[in-house]
Amino acid sequence: MHDLAIKVMGSESTTIYSKEADIDEKTHHVSFGHILSSSSDIPTSLYRARRMKTFLLPCQPMYYSMRLDSSTYSAIVASFKFIRLLDLHYMGIKTIPSSIKKLKHLRYLDLSRNGDIKMLPNSIVKLYNLQTLKLSMCYKLKELPRDINKLANLKFLEINECQSLTHMPNGLGQLTNLQTLSRFVMSKGRIDSVPRSYGELKELNRLNELRGNLSIENLKRVKDARLEYKDANLKEKQCLDRLDLKWVEEDINENGDAGYDDMSLEALQPHINLKALSLRWYGGVRFPHWFLSLTNLVQFELTFSKKCQYLPPLDQLPSLKIIHLSKLDCLEHISDSERDNSDSLFYPSLETLYIRICPNLKGWWRGRRDSLPSFPRLFELWIEYCPQLTSFPLFPYLESLSLGNCSLKQSLERMMINNKTSSGNLPSIASSSSSSTIVAPLSKLSFMKIEEALPEECLPNLISLRTLYLDNYKCPLPQGIRYLTALQDLHVQYSEVVDLSNDWDEMEWQGLTTLLSLDFYHLPKLVSLPTGLQYVSSLQILHIEECPSLIAIPEWICKLISLQSLEIWDCPNLESLPEGIGALTSLQTLRIWDCPNLESLPEGFGALASLQTLLIVGCPILLKRCKKQIGEDWHKISHIPNLYLYPEPQEEEPDEEEPNETFGCCNWDLIKAFGCCNCSTTQQLTH
């Protein structure tokens, strides 16, 4: 199909792969098949194509530093008078020439990700045919053209992450063809002191073709704001999918500012078709009645609301799938018990629930309940930094659970009790067949991150658990881990008390027949690896980091015949590796970082025939023994294809005559974050 298109189009369309390309003067459409990093990458022959219509840069990466000379884009403007699509995104542009007004046929202009652009020339408003203007990630852009109302055909205006924008221009509301307006930034000044050239929120009044996402920012806490906000006419914007309302970030006056926010939100009523609503820095204490009309709402977010004591009746929104609650200082309960309707399904569509940093949240309901309802569809639950939270609905069908600095032990125990009594009040869910079925609580759970031990009676139910994070543990590890017969990925981390040599016996480890990856991170009391680990013959990846009490890797580790990757980081007291390490016939990668007391490599090291990559960083004694040709351990590692041997950059510099194959400069942060690339020499890594 591509070849046929080229045959039909002939020389009208071409992709440029080098600056030596010879561009036919009849070419109308050009796309660059490589990164355009500077003006010199543009073939001079391109400027002969005077009737160019398309200039496209599909390969520009976000992480690459571009610099396009101002003379170059001035030449583009001067040469291509008939251009309709001009793509100059991520080109390091600082200023746009006023001569851009000459591109009378231009319909699509992409200037996004040019972070140094501060102003656009007002002459840009003479591009009367312009339909799309992309300015996202122009971080220093302070304002839009003051006569923007002259762009009568503009349909798409993208200004995401233009963090320096101070206001919208007066007259924006005349662009009644506008379909995309990602942000409306209000001036932070007082309403009665806003300059006439600054657009107020009423500019949105007639923009009823808006669709997709709209973020309104810097909403004010003043008495007269309600009247202006009502003029925005959000209720008539039936094509909007998502609405983000962000109030000014400031302390809320105890004398009544919160009441102004209540009235403001009442005036900002959206259309009932809205799919997502986000409120940030809302200072009100109650929510308007129009919430109940949002029957199509799928996602609700409430963050940084310091006065909010209770939530709107979210249980009465039948389409709601996602709830995000964060930084709600005064929230004590999610729901009033008398408002719950036991005759209807409890949150029938809810799938994802995030609750973070709600220090006073005590429970879902205000009163005590004898029975707890269950979420029928909830599959993802994250709760962090809610230390007083105890009472919570049941969540038997979860697939992902993360709990940090909170306790849901009561709900977990209740689910187990219900399960023993014919599933109690757990609702049935649809199985793969046409009939519904009752499943064991948490039997669908595949990911879990917890800080406290689960009741042991829960663990046999976790038949689908693949990934487990035991994070910031302040108590002994849970007994019964042998029941986790599907576990593939185990992380034990950030614990000042865990000592694995005592917490789990050999029987617990023997049950982990499917474990593939094991991570021990920041365990100050870890003196030795647990002996039961030797029976986990399925293990392929072992990562040990920040374990200062670890002195040696035991000999029995050589029984892990499936081990492919071993990483040991920041273990300052580690003195030796096992002599029989050569028995690890599957080992392909070994990384050792900051183990200064590690003195030598064992004799069996040379038998690691499968080892492809060896990284040693910050091990001064060991590195001296591994110097090319002259080191005492060089013969043990010379067969390894990818060697990365680096001293600590601040302690030792490689000798000038040292070849790149063993020592070199590197980006330490990248190596530590991502490991090493698979290349034959460090020369490829460092250059």
Side-chain angles (χ1 to χ4, degrees), residues 5 31 91 245 344 461 572 656:
S31 173
M91 288 305 304
L245 301 176
S344 61
N461 282 13
E656 290 184 7

Side-chain angles (χ1 to χ4, degrees), residues 34-49:
H34 65 284
I35 297 172
L36 188 61
S37 58
S38 69
S39 302
S40 62
D41 291 334
I42 300 177
T44 55
S45 60
L46 180 64
Y47 296 106
R48 298 200 309 253

Side-chain angles (χ1 to χ4, degrees), residues 285-289 291-292 300 302 308-317 320 323 325 331-347 361 363-369 373:
V285 296
R286 58 179 61 87
F287 294 86
H289 293 295
F291 255 92
L292 291 176
F300 175 65
L302 181 64
C308 176
Q309 298 177 0
Y310 63 90
L311 300 180
L314 301 177
D315 54 320
Q316 298 184 41
L317 302 179
L320 195 60
I323 299 176
L325 307 173
L331 185 67
E332 295 186 0
H333 302 90
I334 304 293
S335 172
D336 290 326
S337 58
E338 61 270 14
R339 193 174 63 209
D340 287 342
N341 185 356
S342 58
D343 295 332
S344 61
L345 202 58
F346 186 71
Y347 286 84
L361 182 62
W364 199 270
W365 303 273
R366 190 173 302 279
R368 179 179 176 83
R369 299 176 67 94

